[in-house]
Amino acid sequence: MERRAVGRSGLRVSVLGLGTMTWGRDTDDLDAAEQLRDFVDAGGTLVDTAATYGDGDAERVIGSLLGGKVGRDEVVLCTKGGVRGGAAGARVDASRGGLLADLDASLERLGTDHVDLFLVACPDPATPLEETVSALRLAVSSGRARYVGLANHPAWAAARAATLLQGAACDGVGLTGLELEYSLLQRGVERDVVPAASALGLGLLAWSPLGRGVLTGKYRRSLPADSRAASPHLAAFVDPYLDDASSAVVEAVATAADGLGRAPLEVSLAWLLAREALASAVVGARTPAQLRASLAAVDLELPGEVHSALDDVSAPEVGYPERW
C-alpha cells in the first residue's frame, strides 16, 4: 500500500487508515484482531482511534493486540482527546489539563509510552486556543506524542494554531495534521480547510470517506437490518446522508462502478485518494469482510472523465468569500 507524508512533516502513513470507532462495541475482539492483521499484511500502518470510542474500549482492544497480533513498531497510532464522557453526556474539554489527562489515560489503555499523532478532537469555545496549543506542545516535548494536530476544526483555527506553534519553532514542535470528514457526500473542507492545509504544509486525514457507509450503495433499495442506519446508536449518524441530494451522488457512483466493473465503495475511495493534500482516508469497518472490500480499492485509478463527472455531481456550493 502506498505511504504518503502527512503534509511537509516526516510522518508517513498508509494511504488507507484503519478506523476503530466500532471496536469494543459493535466489533468484538476476535474480529478486531483479524482486521488489524489483515490491514498490516496489506501494507497498512495508520490506526486511528479516540479516547471516546466505546468509552475507551477501542483503545483497550488495540492495546491488547499490540505486541501480540502486530508489533507496536508496525503501526502509526493516532488518537484524539478533548471530549469527555459522563452521566450528563459528552462534554468538550480542550484545556491543558483535560487534554493531557486524556492523553495519559489513552497511553495507559493502549499500553504504550507514546502515540505517533495526537489530535484535539473538536473545538472548545470555552478554552483559549493558546492554552490548547500549549498542551500540544507539551505532549510532544514530554515524549507522549511524536506529532500533533487538530480534528474537526475550521481553517482559521488550524491557521492560528499553526502560527502559535511556529512562534516557538526553536522547540521543534509544529502542527502536522488535520482530520475532518471528507467524501463525495461531504466536501465542505474544500472551501477553506484544503487551501489552508496546502498553504501551511499540513496533511489531511479524512474520516468517514464512504459517507458514513452510504457510498457503498447498501442503502439504495432498502435499510439492511445489520447496517449502521438500523443501529439504535448510529442511526442518527447515518440519517443526514439518506436524502435526495446524496442519493443522486450515490447513483452516479453506482453507474461509474458498473462501467468500470468495480464496487461503488472502491470508486468512492479512489476519487478521494486523488484529492489535493490528502494523506490518508480512514475507513471504519465493522467486520473483517468490510475492511477487505475497502483494501481492494487501493489499486484503482479513475479515468479522468469519471473523476470529473463525480466532481460535478457532488460539487459543494462555494461563494463569497471562499471564491472571490
Side-chain angles (χ1 to χ4, degrees):
M1 192 185 303
E2 178 191 356
R3 296 187 187 182
R4 296 179 179 177
V6 182
R8 289 197 288 264
S9 76
L11 178 63
R12 299 186 69 82
V13 296
S14 53
V15 73
L16 286 184
L18 178 61
T20 61
M21 186 177 70
T22 63
W23 288 21
R25 185 176 59 188
D26 301 313
T27 301
D28 63 28
D29 291 16
L30 289 177
D31 278 353
E34 186 175 347
Q35 282 192 37
L36 185 58
R37 187 67 265 172
D38 287 349
F39 179 67
V40 172
D41 285 347
T45 61
L46 177 62
V47 177
D48 181 83
T49 191
T52 54
Y53 290 174
D55 293 327
D57 284 343
E59 290 181 329
R60 291 189 191 95
V61 172
I62 295 169
S64 72
L65 297 175
L66 294 180
K69 286 294 181 181
V70 302
R72 171 64 182 89
D73 60 352
E74 292 184 86
V75 299
V76 175
L77 273 181
C78 171
T79 195
K80 296 172 281 293
V83 177
R84 304 216 150 166
R91 65 182 179 87
V92 176
D93 182 6
S95 67
R96 184 185 299 107
L99 284 173
L100 294 176
D102 283 351
L103 178 54
D104 287 340
S106 289
L107 293 176
E108 183 175 356
R109 288 188 291 265
L110 290 165
T112 184
D113 63 356
H114 74 280
V115 292
D116 299 289
L117 181 61
F118 180 57
L119 304 175
V120 183
C122 60
D124 177 5
T127 300
L129 194 56
E130 289 83 354
E131 181 178 339
T132 296
V133 167
S134 74
L136 296 181
R137 182 180 294 114
L138 186 54
V140 176
S141 63
S142 65
R144 293 134 130 151
R146 297 295 187 255
Y147 298 88
V148 290
L150 305 174
N152 304 305
H153 282 66
W156 72 262
R160 178 61 177 152
T163 301
L164 289 168
L165 283 172
Q166 192 176 44
C170 58
D171 62 12
V173 181
L175 201 68
T176 296
L178 306 173
E179 183 170 330
L180 295 102
E181 184 174 8
Y182 192 10
S183 74
L184 277 163
L185 297 184
Q186 178 51 271
R187 294 176 59 184
V189 296
E190 294 178 9
R191 297 186 182 99
D192 274 334
V193 174
V194 170
S198 296
L200 296 166
L202 307 178
L204 187 62
L205 308 178
W207 64 262
S208 207
L210 292 173
R212 309 186 185 190
V214 175
L215 286 167
T216 63
K218 69 173 71 175
Y219 302 112
R220 292 174 67 201
R221 303 287 181 263
S222 63
L223 189 70
D226 62 347
S227 67
R228 289 181 179 180
S231 165
H233 53 272
L234 287 174
F237 179 67
V238 179
D239 187 65
Y241 295 151
L242 298 180
D243 59 3
D244 291 342
S246 297
S247 293
V249 177
V250 172
E251 290 306 313
V253 169
T255 299
D258 287 343
L260 295 170
R262 305 292 291 253
L265 71 82
E266 295 176 63
V267 171
S268 299
L269 286 174
W271 175 88
L272 183 61
L273 294 181
R275 305 306 286 179
E276 180 186 1
L278 190 82
S280 185
V282 179
V283 292
R286 183 173 51 84
T287 67
Q290 289 176 348
L291 176 62
R292 287 191 286 270
S294 293
L295 293 174
V298 296
D299 69 339
L300 176 59
E301 183 174 342
L302 296 180
E305 60 272 20
V306 173
H307 195 101
S308 295
L310 294 177
D311 276 355
D312 291 343
V313 76
S314 65
E317 291 186 12
V318 179
Y320 178 86
E322 297 91 1
R323 177 175 294 159
W324 176 249

